[in-house]
Amino acid sequence: QSALTQPRSVSGSPGQSVTISCTGTSVGVDNYNRVSWYQQHPGKAPKLMIYDVSKRPSGVPDRFSGSTSGNTASLTISGLQAEDEADYYCCSYAGTHTWVFGGGTQLTVL
Amino acid sequence: EVQLVESGGGLVQPGGSLRLSCAASGFTFTTYPMNWVRQAPGKGLEWVSNIRTSSENMEYYADSVKGRFTISRDDAKNSLYLQLSGLRAEDTAIYYCATDYGYAFDIWGQGTMVTVSS
């Protein structure tokens, strides 16, 4: 069991918005405000989509946004597109240069 | 082009050893802490190890690999390494190297597969 809990799957239709949650169990998501999100397509390496809770690296569309509320971090994807279909992982800094990942969420674009 | 290329994976028997390499190019390797992250077949991501810059000279490990894996770097060769020993079936995974972008993993390699089986 991961220290961060994510839903196994979420789905949405093109153009809709979806939100993926990430709740800390043994690790406090709000301890350091250092949550990141990764997108992974099948057979590919993960790609950084959000860092420091809500910041987007250069090149990531502004359809992707991040936030936290208490011990839960969230990734929201608005204006869903077919290419957004992938696995998404949250990750939280756990102190002393260690990190924990969530179990991952499979996003299906209907 | 910014790039990380892993190598060294393969099939190894339980209890065996393996050395993974990660060649960096297109950025100033010496200024970046580096990480190894792994992914078991069909499973999620797991952070494995972090190494600070040579000036800081510190290493950190997940509890699952502490005492069995050793991370190192050679700045002259722009390379990161992971020495795996005492391998177990549960170490079977794709091993990715990734740059440490503050508190996130920015640049990732394509991964190298390690299979532990008799």
Side-chain angles (χ1 to χ4, degrees):
Chain A
Q1 184 178 355
S2 300
L4 301 176
T5 300
Q6 298 181 233
R8 281 195 168 237
S9 64
V10 297
S11 63
S13 300
Q16 287 186 333
S17 293
V18 294
T19 296
I20 300 172
S21 62
C22 170
T23 301
T25 52
S26 57
V27 172
V29 162
D30 55 349
N31 281 3
Y32 301 96
N33 278 325
R34 303 294 188 180
V35 176
S36 51
W37 290 89
Y38 302 85
Q39 177 191 66
Q40 187 179 35
H41 288 108
K44 300 295 187 181
K47 175 186 176 183
L48 177 64
M49 305 301 285
I50 296 287
Y51 67 100
D52 289 356
V53 174
S54 60
K55 298 177 182 177
R56 276 187 312 276
S58 175
V60 173
D62 59 6
R63 303 186 293 104
F64 291 84
S65 62
S67 64
T68 59
S69 177
N71 205 28
T72 297
S74 299
L75 172 71
T76 298
I77 308 170
S78 58
L80 265 181
Q81 299 182 3
E83 59 262 35
D84 298 334
E85 185 163 294
D87 292 329
Y88 291 84
Y89 294 90
C90 64
C91 180
S92 180
Y93 180 67
T96 322
H97 304 295
T98 65
W99 286 261
V100 290
F101 282 94
T105 298
Q106 183 177 49
L107 169 63
T108 301
V109 180
L110 302 170
Chain B
E1 179 191 4
V2 173
Q3 198 172 14
L4 294 172
V5 179
E6 301 93 336
S7 60
L11 175 64
V12 60
Q13 292 188 338
S17 298
L18 209 57
R19 189 198 197 203
L20 307 183
S21 299
C22 170
S25 59
F27 63 99
T28 308
F29 179 74
T30 56
T31 63
Y32 278 82
M34 296 291 296
N35 296 272
W36 287 97
V37 177
R38 69 183 179 182
Q39 185 171 35
K43 302 296 183 181
L45 301 171
E46 180 187 14
W47 173 80
V48 172
S49 183
N50 174 277
I51 187 167
R52 313 310 294 166
T53 61
S54 294
S55 61
E56 298 172 86
N57 195 29
M58 293 293 288
E59 308 150 21
Y60 302 89
Y61 300 93
D63 288 343
S64 58
V65 306
K66 201 172 294 182
R68 299 187 300 122
F69 291 7
T70 302
I71 191 172
S72 62
R73 62 190 299 158
D74 185 336
D75 289 347
K77 295 183 178 179
N78 284 349
S79 291
L80 174 72
Y81 305 101
L82 187 67
Q83 179 71 41
L84 290 65
S85 60
L87 283 163
R88 307 165 180 166
E90 55 264 35
D91 296 318
T92 294
I94 298 172
Y95 284 75
Y96 296 99
C97 61
T99 56
D100 185 328
Y101 183 70
Y103 297 89
F105 310 115
D106 184 16
I107 305 163
W108 295 67
Q110 86 291 347
T112 187
M113 183 70 202
V114 172
T115 302
V116 183
S117 175
S118 55

